[in-house]
């Protein structure tokens, strides 16, 4: 009788533990908040240089309001962006409404990490290719919208992107021919 009560108690404890753990894992997952359908981009829109992708008519793209959980060393994908006027970044920077020189280390973060402008002008450290560089966050890589004029008819940003100027790629010592996409870690500087 005593044993039965004890094992029942243990079973209860165990169930509660499993439930809290799975809830935690659930909270860390970042699921799409919806989908958008690609429209045909007008002629002369969507600049395909720098590995930019253009929205395909009728194709669905996931959108995200969240990014993967942020930690002391957050895994991300580094991409390249032009922040100067008329370049592939589309409009001016979200943080100050200005264009910026690509010769300084600057970056845009996916919507979740951009955290409603809270990371504007904050410095982050980017670790990649065995090196590190400090870059200032000046823009959002919009994971919630895309395939429109404001985003140069490019798909919405993935939720795990650090989209950086060429100065960042240079500082990490990546040969120019390999600029485009690379796995990195980043943290607040
Ligand atoms: C894309 O950008 C390159 C380099 O800036 C430019 O030469 C080209 O004309 C642009 N293409 C379009 C379609 O805007
Ligand atoms: C491609 O990226 C580089 C580096 O940021 C930038 O200088 C260049 O203007 C970009 N090209 C286009 C067409 O946006
Ligand atoms: C970020 O780094 C730049 C260049 O090193 C520096 O001028 C600026 O004060 C730093 N910003 C913050 C918020 O630490």
């Amino acid at each position: 009788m005593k044993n039965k009560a004890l094992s029942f108690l243990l079973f209860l404890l165990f169930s509660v533990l499993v439930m809290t753990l799975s809830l935690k894992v659930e909270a860390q997952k970042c699921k799409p908040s919806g989908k958008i359908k690609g429209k045909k981009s007008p002629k002369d829109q969507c600049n395909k240089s720098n590995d930019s992708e253009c929205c395909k008519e009728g194709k669905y793209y996931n959108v995200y309001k969240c990014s993967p959980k942020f930690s002391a060393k957050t895994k991300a994908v580094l991409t390249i962006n032009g922040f100067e006027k008329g370049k592939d970044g589309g409009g001016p920077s979200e943080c100050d409404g200005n264009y910026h020189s690509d010769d300084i280390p600057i970056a845009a973060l996916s919507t979740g990490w951009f955290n409603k402008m809270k990371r504007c002008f904050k410095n982050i450290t980017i670790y990649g290719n065995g090196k590190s560089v400090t870059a200032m966050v000046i823009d959002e890589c919009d994971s919630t919208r895309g395939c429109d004029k404001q985003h140069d008819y490019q798909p919405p940003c993935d939720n795990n992107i650090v989209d950086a100027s060429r100065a960042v790629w240079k500082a990490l010592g990546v040969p120019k021919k390999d600029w485009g996409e690379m796995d990195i870690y980043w943290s607040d500087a």
Side-chain angles (χ1 to χ4, degrees):
M1 200 62 195
K2 227 183 184 177
N3 259 346
K4 253 194 180 163
L6 194 69
S7 34
F8 183 62
L9 206 78
L10 277 173
F11 171 72
L12 261 185
L13 264 170
F14 183 70
S15 318
V16 169
L17 198 78
V18 165
M19 267 163 66
T20 25
L21 276 179
S22 51
L23 275 178
K24 268 214 177 119
V25 167
E26 197 60 31
Q28 282 171 18
K29 260 192 226 153
C30 166
K31 292 201 183 120
S33 53
K35 284 180 195 299
I36 54 168
K37 196 172 171 184
K39 291 188 283 276
K40 198 175 164 66
S41 57
K43 217 173 171 300
D44 292 338
Q45 297 277 352
C46 189
N47 201 313
K48 275 196 176 131
S49 59
N50 278 344
D51 281 341
S52 292
E53 199 191 326
C54 301
C55 287
K56 291 195 183 75
E57 192 177 6
K59 186 178 168 180
Y60 285 92
Y61 298 88
N62 281 337
V63 290
Y64 295 89
K65 285 183 186 152
C66 52
S67 289
K69 194 180 177 309
F70 169 74
S71 70
K73 248 192 167 184
T74 310
K75 208 171 182 304
V77 174
L78 187 70
T79 54
I80 190 161
N81 187 36
F83 294 91
E84 294 170 2
K85 194 168 177 160
K87 296 295 171 64
D88 54 359
S93 112
E94 197 67 28
C95 290
D96 61 5
N98 291 324
Y99 293 97
H100 294 265
S101 164
D102 292 319
D103 292 321
I104 50 171
I106 46 179
L109 294 180
S110 293
T111 294
W113 289 335
F114 187 66
N115 196 10
K116 301 190 177 86
M117 314 274 282
K118 286 202 189 82
R119 274 215 169 78
C120 278
F121 311 118
K122 295 261 164 64
N123 289 324
I124 61 168
T125 307
I126 298 165
Y127 306 86
N129 197 35
K131 295 198 163 109
S132 73
V133 58
T134 299
M136 195 187 279
V137 176
I138 53 133
D139 208 354
E140 174 179 15
C141 196
D142 202 337
S143 320
T144 66
R145 286 170 307 160
C147 304
D148 56 11
K149 189 168 196 289
Q150 199 194 338
H151 301 92
D152 198 27
Y153 295 92
Q154 290 169 30
C157 202
D158 250 326
N159 62 5
N160 62 344
I161 299 294
V162 176
D163 196 19
S165 64
R166 62 172 170 248
V168 166
W169 287 85
K170 220 181 250 176
L172 292 176
V174 180
K176 203 165 183 178
K177 64 174 176 49
D178 297 331
W179 290 3
E181 221 176 279
M182 182 171 80
D183 287 338
I184 52 133
Y185 288 94
W186 71 278
S187 67
D188 285 318

